[in-house]
Amino acid sequence: MATCSCDAGYGGGNCALSTADLEEASTLRGQLCSGISDASGYLDDSMSTLATLSSSLQSSYAADEVVTDSAFDSCLSALTIVSDLSANGYLEEISAESLVVAASMTSTISNFVDSALNTSDSTSDAIDAAVGGLASGLLQGMTNGQYPVELLSSNVRLQLTSDYVLDLDGAQFSPPLTDEEQAYGVTVPQIALATDFDATLCDAGEGYTS
């Protein structure tokens, strides 16, 4: 994916913002993220609230326009609230609606990875926790034997499964590919389990594992 390298004194996704304009945009986006956090305190925890907050955060946060630590921290706090709702089961069962919310969250988390302010262990841990919250919420809504759920963005790729535990013998795992990558035969890292692996150790109940 092509990105702009801005001349000194300019910034933003298309390098059209002056330093002053960029700082103003960063302040505004930080305030929007703070508003999302504030709103979460007045709304009941529900799938509807999760969808609303996730959509709002996706439109409020832009890695190339959030350039101050305070604004970034405000947006990261909002991301944590959204991912916690997911982890607490408010994505509910897998459906068209929940997959739209999950795709929105995946895109937003990916944008946080892109940030030039993503430089500390605590920030990386918070982003990792957001991925974990998203995955946990989706897995709670999956049924045993369900077809895998795949989510792709520029920096985050997830494949979630709930498979028969004995199918783990000799199983191979790799991140999902885009249609273009599949067409061009792109090679990706894989993890392979040994054929003599005791798969029953991974049994999460009823003979299935996720």
Side-chain angles (χ1 to χ4, degrees), residues 3-200:
T3 57
C4 294
S5 178
C6 303
D7 293 335
Y10 291 90
N14 59 3
C15 299
L17 298 177
S18 67
T19 299
D21 289 339
L22 188 58
E23 290 179 354
E24 183 177 346
S26 182
T27 298
L28 176 59
R29 289 188 179 277
Q31 291 171 345
L32 290 171
C33 289
S34 294
I36 292 170
S37 298
D38 292 342
S40 70
Y42 298 99
L43 298 172
D44 293 332
D45 291 347
S46 66
M47 173 64 170
S48 176
T49 295
L50 175 55
T52 298
L53 297 183
S54 176
S55 176
S56 297
L57 181 57
Q58 184 179 21
S59 60
S60 297
Y61 177 77
D64 50 22
E65 291 188 13
V66 175
V67 296
T68 62
D69 289 333
S70 59
F72 182 77
D73 289 345
S74 294
C75 292
L76 192 61
S77 294
L79 177 65
T80 299
I81 290 171
V82 170
S83 65
D84 284 349
L85 283 172
S86 171
N88 290 335
Y90 291 103
L91 270 176
E92 301 176 355
E93 72 279 354
I94 301 298
S95 64
E97 181 182 8
S98 66
L99 290 178
V100 168
V101 176
S104 169
M105 290 179 63
T106 304
S107 176
T108 301
I109 294 170
S110 180
N111 287 338
F112 275 89
V113 176
D114 277 335
S115 174
L117 298 177
N118 177 21
T119 57
S120 68
D121 289 342
S122 60
T123 298
S124 297
D125 289 346
I127 295 172
D128 286 344
V131 175
L134 170 60
S136 175
L138 287 168
L139 287 170
Q140 290 175 58
M142 295 181 69
T143 57
N144 290 334
Q146 178 176 328
Y147 194 76
V149 172
E150 295 186 349
L151 296 166
L152 291 86
S153 65
S154 58
N155 295 306
V156 178
R157 300 188 183 204
L158 293 175
Q159 183 184 70
L160 305 171
T161 63
S162 183
D163 292 334
Y164 187 48
V165 69
L166 295 182
D167 289 340
L168 287 179
D169 289 341
Q172 294 183 338
F173 301 94
S174 60
L177 299 175
T178 65
D179 292 340
E180 292 79 7
E181 289 169 339
Q182 291 181 23
Y184 285 99
V186 173
T187 302
V188 294
Q190 289 187 337
I191 297 175
L193 298 180
T195 54
D196 59 353
F197 170 68
D198 185 3
T200 59

